[in-house]
Amino acid sequence: MRESNSNSGRVTWEGCSVLLDINDGDRLVFARLSPAAKLKIGNKNCSLQPLIGRAFGTVFQVDTAPDGPCLSPAQVNVNNVEEIGDGKGNHELRDKVNVNNAEEVRDGEVNVESRDNRALVDNNTAQSLTGEDIEAMRRQGARGNEIIEALIANSATFEKKTSFSQEKYRLKKQKKYAPKVLMRRPVARSICEAYFKKYPSKIGFLRVDTLSLLLSTANVSSNSDILIVDTVGGLLTGAVAERLGGTGFVCNTYFGQAPYSMDIVRIFNLGDEICKRILRSPISDLLLPKELSEQILQHDVCNVESQSNDQVSASASMVEISHSSENGISDIGTENTEPALEVRKAPKAGERAQKEVIDLWKENGFSSLIVAAPELDTWTLVRDLLPLLANSAPFAIYHQYLQPLATCMHNLQLGKMAIGLQISEPWLREYQVLPSRTHPCMQMSAFGGYILSGTKICSTANSTAPTE
């Protein structure tokens, strides 16, 4: 549970989840803050206690304390402050160069320096500071920045390098001797980017721009009832619940008796009001006619009542036996009727949907449908779930490959079940934006999957929809 001073969501609290960005994306770690939690950086184990009560976006550096290595807030240069936003770093820190030292801006024109690295030879003799000297500095309590400055001062070639090479050298040493940790807020964007970089198969290779396009084409907005099929670990469910902000409902449906995993939802730090809006229901319950479901419910209630009556009679006989054996010394009735302390449990995301809520969904229909289930047959899912939507409700289906969506689109056209059908392929390319060095990044994601979107229509032909 959040503390009262952390309700704004800008400050961490004990028990919250954070995304730790080590050395500007070189390593991404999800952690839950507690006094006993530790993070291993290199060969050092650092406690996460200093991160509790700090604002998201704070940058920490590894320091040496009397009781061992620890994390302390870093002194960030105002000229190189990262764009925090929702806790996301600039990711171009490694390419930043002090423009004042590298170039001179005069009359609106940039004069680039004339130095280059053609005369430099990498023969491992330029550095006069040895490893023993660095260890001696550490034993004396020298901080990482002091070691870096000592390395620069004892380098015979540092002043001969271009300012761009100097910055690369400084960043390389900083990652080794003074690693920095950026504490990011776990939101849909940062979680999706982290999983796509570390474990893309766990989220079905769902890229962040594809996730945003799914939410947009499905028209996820306030007070909407969204039907979801999520086999990507709960990323889609958490993103939809985050956008709804505690209004409307998120129905995570599934085949069979075992629901799909929603482990990623716990990383979002969703409040109690939002967690109450995330419900689960098997597809069989949603497709069951209302009259038949009432009959089954009445039958179950009768069975429960008969079982409870048998239990009550058995317990009554046991009470009589205990009373007679104790000769009235122990008052079991009084002992059992003492007012118990009422324990309030926090709402848990993914509770089973109540019958009243399911009946309301059947009567009014869902506002939209979103499917991200690459392991399941797409057309079978859409054929069964599309009648649950309200008329003119949008839907969006994600798949890693094109052919399942093309088959589904063809069957929807034959059955005249939807209009505005189109298959989109998201395309994303990041750019480096720096003075005199603005260009596309050298590496990019070449593939982001496909999205089939459309709008459900009311048609009598739904009953004659193709089965294959």
Side-chain angles (χ1 to χ4, degrees), residues 80-143:
N80 291 332
V81 173
E82 296 178 324
E83 297 177 2
I84 301 303
D86 61 349
K88 180 179 182 299
N90 195 357
H91 288 299
E92 300 296 344
L93 180 62
R94 67 189 66 181
D95 296 324
K96 286 186 177 181
V97 178
N98 189 340
V99 181
N100 295 328
N101 295 335
E103 302 166 345
E104 294 181 359
V105 182
R106 295 179 180 176
D107 299 330
E109 296 182 359
V110 179
N111 299 323
V112 183
E113 61 182 359
S114 59
R115 289 181 298 173
D116 55 44
N117 300 328
R118 71 181 71 183
L120 301 181
V121 179
D122 188 10
N123 52 11
N124 293 329
T125 59
Q127 183 58 250
S128 59
L129 203 63
T130 63
E132 291 78 6
D133 298 334
I134 296 176
E135 289 298 326
M137 294 179 64
R138 284 177 170 172
R139 286 193 295 268
Q140 295 174 4
R143 304 182 64 179

Side-chain angles (χ1 to χ4, degrees), residues 27 40-44:
R27 183 182 167 206
K40 187 172 184 180
I41 303 177
N43 58 354
K44 301 177 181 179

Side-chain angles (χ1 to χ4, degrees), residues 194-208:
Y195 267 91
F196 189 80
K197 185 175 182 178
K198 293 179 61 178
Y199 311 110
S201 60
K202 290 187 177 181
I203 59 172
F205 298 89
L206 183 63
R207 207 168 56 192
V208 61

Side-chain angles (χ1 to χ4, degrees), residues 2-39:
R2 294 186 179 183
E3 296 179 1
S4 58
N5 59 355
S6 303
N7 290 331
S8 61
R10 299 179 181 178
V11 179
T12 61
W13 63 95
E14 184 176 346
C16 78
S17 299
V18 295
L19 174 57
L20 302 179
D21 188 338
I22 303 173
N23 283 333
D24 194 31
D26 286 355
R27 183 182 167 206
L28 298 171
V29 178
F30 289 103
R32 191 170 294 275
L33 298 185
S34 67
K38 291 185 178 296
L39 173 67

Side-chain angles (χ1 to χ4, degrees), residues 31-65:
R32 191 170 294 275
L33 298 185
S34 67
K38 291 185 178 296
L39 173 67
K40 187 172 184 180
I41 303 177
N43 58 354
K44 301 177 181 179
N45 288 322
C46 303
S47 173
L48 298 183
Q49 170 70 33
L51 276 63
I52 300 177
R54 297 284 183 173
F56 285 105
T58 304
V59 180
F60 296 85
Q61 65 182 7
V62 179
D63 285 336
T64 303

Side-chain angles (χ1 to χ4, degrees), residues 16-281:
C16 78
S17 299
V18 295
L19 174 57
L20 302 179
D21 188 338
I22 303 173
N23 283 333
D24 194 31
D26 286 355
R27 183 182 167 206
L28 298 171
V29 178
F30 289 103
R32 191 170 294 275
L33 298 185
S34 67
K38 291 185 178 296
L39 173 67
K40 187 172 184 180
I41 303 177
N43 58 354
K44 301 177 181 179
N45 288 322
C46 303
S47 173
L48 298 183
Q49 170 70 33
L51 276 63
I52 300 177
R54 297 284 183 173
F56 285 105
T58 304
V59 180
F60 296 85
Q61 65 182 7
V62 179
D63 285 336
T64 303
D67 54 348
C70 65
L71 292 173
S72 61
Q75 300 294 331
V76 182
N77 189 350
V78 178
N79 296 326
N80 291 332
V81 173
E82 296 178 324
E83 297 177 2
I84 301 303
D86 61 349
K88 180 179 182 299
N90 195 357
H91 288 299
E92 300 296 344
L93 180 62
R94 67 189 66 181
D95 296 324
K96 286 186 177 181
V97 178
N98 189 340
V99 181
N100 295 328
N101 295 335
E103 302 166 345
E104 294 181 359
V105 182
R106 295 179 180 176
D107 299 330
E109 296 182 359
V110 179
N111 299 323
V112 183
E113 61 182 359
S114 59
R115 289 181 298 173
D116 55 44
N117 300 328
R118 71 181 71 183
L120 301 181
V121 179
D122 188 10
N123 52 11
N124 293 329
T125 59
Q127 183 58 250
S128 59
L129 203 63
T130 63
E132 291 78 6
D133 298 334
I134 296 176
E135 289 298 326
M137 294 179 64
R138 284 177 170 172
R139 286 193 295 268
Q140 295 174 4
R143 304 182 64 179
N145 294 333
E146 296 174 356
I147 296 177
I148 295 173
E149 294 301 327
L151 289 170
I152 293 174
N154 288 274
S155 175
T157 58
F158 183 80
E159 296 298 333
K160 300 178 183 179
K161 296 180 180 180
T162 63
S163 52
F164 182 68
S165 297
Q166 289 178 358
E167 187 68 17
K168 290 180 65 176
Y169 179 87
R170 189 183 297 272
L171 286 173
K172 181 180 178 181
K173 299 303 178 183
Q174 176 259 318
K175 291 179 180 180
K176 182 176 182 180
Y177 297 104
K180 293 186 178 181
V181 179
L182 172 64
M183 185 171 59
R184 296 173 58 182
R185 185 200 308 270
V187 294
R189 176 175 179 173
S190 59
I191 294 174
C192 184
E193 288 177 340
Y195 267 91
F196 189 80
K197 185 175 182 178
K198 293 179 61 178
Y199 311 110
S201 60
K202 290 187 177 181
I203 59 172
F205 298 89
L206 183 63
R207 207 168 56 192
V208 61
D209 59 316
T210 309
L211 176 60
S212 62
L213 186 60
L214 270 176
L215 301 181
S216 299
T217 52
N219 193 27
V220 178
S221 56
S222 299
N223 299 301
S224 299
D225 294 338
I226 313 297
L227 180 61
I228 292 178
V229 182
D230 181 0
T231 64
V232 293
L235 174 63
L236 181 60
T237 303
V240 172
E242 182 185 66
R243 175 168 288 196
L244 291 179
T247 63
F249 284 96
V250 181
C251 178
N252 189 319
T253 187
Y254 54 91
F255 282 107
Q257 300 298 323
Y260 306 129
S261 173
M262 285 174 44
D263 294 338
I264 300 181
V265 175
R266 294 181 296 178
I267 306 177
F268 276 82
N269 291 330
L270 300 177
D272 295 345
E273 188 63 31
I274 300 179
C275 289
K276 290 191 300 184
R277 300 287 179 163
I278 303 177
L279 303 176
R280 277 174 168 164
S281 178

